[in-house]
Amino acid sequence: MSSPSSRPHVLAVAKLPPFLMGPLQESFEVHDRLHESDPVAFAKIAPLIRGVAGGGESKVPRALIEQLPALEIISIMGVGYDGVDVSAALERRIPVTHTPGVLNDEVADLALGLMLSVARRIPLADRYVRAGQWAKEGAMPLARKVSGARLGIVGLGRIGQAIALRAEAFGMSIAYTGRSAKPDLAYSFYPTAQALAAAVDFLVVITPGGAGTRHLINADVLKALGPEGYLINVARGSVVDEAALVEALAKGVIAGAGLDVFEQEPHPMEALWSMDNVVLTPHMASATVQTRHAMANLAVSNLRAHFDGQPLFTPVPEWQ
Ligand code: NAP
Ligand code: 8YV
């Protein structure tokens, strides 16, 4: 191992898990969220910082990038990097890396899990048994069948396609929307989220976040989904107008929702908490030991490759 002083200085901009922090500390001088905890100490170290490490939800704004004159690389442990000001980084020829591919299965699994949970009311049923209601009140009201239903995918990318593959095994018909049709795939393309919503029973959102998709799912899309329709969001909270969603759920404009992501994390709108037709998870779609380790390995490999003068494994598309 090289001596601490000669090792590149890296700023961790989020609370990183030990299986990422450990390998980072083996290779780099890591400053753990110093910009937040001690701005005076950070100002002294900032000129030495050559790398930034963060997670999919991390914010790396222009203002922070401008404070780091020696910055050479931003490595995100996550496929989404909407919190990074990529334009500000690219202006200085600073590459941004992320962790695509290694989490497709996990996120797709949770999307299917949310679909089943909300339609079959699994969390509600669990509470029903534990509260002794089964013995007192008998069987629960009948639920909604998932197998054979019509699925709409908003964003048929890596994860969207993994969701489609699983839905095929459930005998679901599959349609999608996105920026462009994918002629190689035998699924029906709809030009807008609203047109897609009108044609399906379950609408799963799995686009990137950021300005390009902000409130793509709005009141009109929810109205098109209709009173028998379910919304599943495993993308980013910003893609769904959460206030419009709360209103649609409360008024029966849609049947229910399964949500892993929220506009203000970790603070989903409180109106959602008491709704029985909603299943909420805390942004955990990729959160298994196996997948988070694979993501951490890739995030660290990108940093090491950069400082070893090797090609980056997974730079964001804007860099390529
Ligand atoms: P990807 O392969 O890049 O796929 C993204 C898809 O979104 C593409 O099909 C793209 O359409 C579509 N899209 C992009 N901009 C759009 C727009 N303005 N309107 C409609 N569709 C648009 O990405 P991925 O690896 O599947 O990941 C997708 C996202 O999932 C990530 O960026 C992240 O935000 C989210 N995610 C969340 C979790 C979680 O923990 N909940 C975990 C992992 C990922 P085209 O094909 O037409 O370009
Ligand atoms: C994680 C994610 O929450 O990959 C993403 O875009 O949102 C998730 O996998 C996050 O990246 C963990 O650091």
Side-chain angles (χ1 to χ4, degrees):
M1 205 197 307
S2 49
S3 72
S5 56
S6 68
R7 300 187 310 168
H9 289 253
V10 167
L11 177 68
V13 292
K15 182 172 173 16
L16 301 177
F19 49 84
L20 175 56
M21 191 52 111
L24 284 179
Q25 286 170 332
E26 280 169 23
S27 301
F28 309 111
E29 279 301 302
V30 182
H31 303 279
D32 188 5
R33 292 164 289 167
L34 197 61
H35 61 311
E36 290 171 355
S37 62
D38 190 344
V40 176
F42 173 65
K44 287 187 193 138
I45 208 78
L48 299 179
I49 302 284
R50 296 171 63 194
V52 160
E57 299 97 300
S58 294
K59 304 275 177 270
V60 188
R62 179 179 287 274
L64 179 59
I65 293 171
E66 283 174 353
Q67 282 177 279
L68 305 174
L71 187 62
E72 295 171 31
I73 180 167
I74 299 169
S75 172
I76 296 298
M77 178 187 146
V79 65
Y81 51 94
D82 44 295
V84 179
D85 191 326
V86 176
S87 306
L90 295 187
E91 279 166 25
R92 283 186 31 211
R93 297 295 300 154
I94 296 166
V96 178
T97 64
H98 65 149
T99 60
V102 294
L103 41 54
N104 296 351
D105 284 343
E106 223 62 87
V107 181
D109 287 356
L110 192 84
L112 268 288
L114 284 173
M115 227 188 289
L116 288 165
S117 293
V118 67
R120 300 298 305 273
R121 305 198 193 105
I122 297 171
L124 194 63
D126 179 80
R127 294 199 292 274
Y128 193 80
V129 174
R130 289 169 197 261
Q133 284 173 277
W134 189 15
K136 279 189 224 138
E137 298 166 40
M140 281 178 61
L142 299 181
R144 169 71 164 88
K145 182 173 178 179
V146 173
S147 285
R150 299 168 301 169
L151 172 65
I153 300 176
V154 182
L156 194 64
R158 287 172 293 250
I159 300 170
Q161 289 177 43
I163 293 169
L165 202 62
R166 284 155 176 74
E168 281 185 31
F170 278 73
M172 301 180 90
S173 66
I174 296 156
Y176 69 102
T177 189
R179 289 174 298 191
S180 55
K182 302 192 184 310
D184 296 351
L185 297 173
Y187 306 133
S188 311
F189 175 72
Y190 286 78
T192 65
Q194 192 171 339
L196 178 67
V200 300
D201 305 303
F202 292 87
L203 189 70
V204 177
V205 186
I206 185 63
T207 61
T213 55
R214 186 176 148 71
H215 290 187
L216 185 63
I217 308 302
N218 57 22
D220 291 337
V221 175
L222 297 170
K223 196 170 166 211
L225 186 56
E228 306 291 324
Y230 291 84
L231 179 79
I232 308 295
N233 187 9
V234 284
R236 283 287 182 268
S238 61
V239 188
V240 175
D241 180 341
E242 201 166 295
L245 174 63
V246 163
E247 194 175 333
L249 287 162
K251 293 186 174 165
V253 173
I254 66 169
L259 308 171
D260 185 51
V261 287
F262 305 90
E263 286 203 76
Q264 300 297 328
E265 295 183 0
H267 303 292
M269 282 179 70
E270 275 196 38
L272 293 167
W273 301 13
S274 56
M275 290 180 172
D276 282 343
N277 54 345
V278 170
V279 176
L280 307 173
T281 52
H283 200 147
M284 63 170 207
S286 68
T288 65
V289 170
Q290 294 75 10
T291 291
R292 284 284 169 88
H293 279 244
M295 293 162 68
N297 288 343
L298 190 48
V300 125
S301 298
N302 275 311
L303 277 174
R304 286 188 180 141
H306 170 80
F307 289 110
D308 289 346
Q310 298 298 316
L312 298 170
F313 290 94
T314 45
V316 300
E318 293 90 330
W319 176 256
Q320 288 152 352

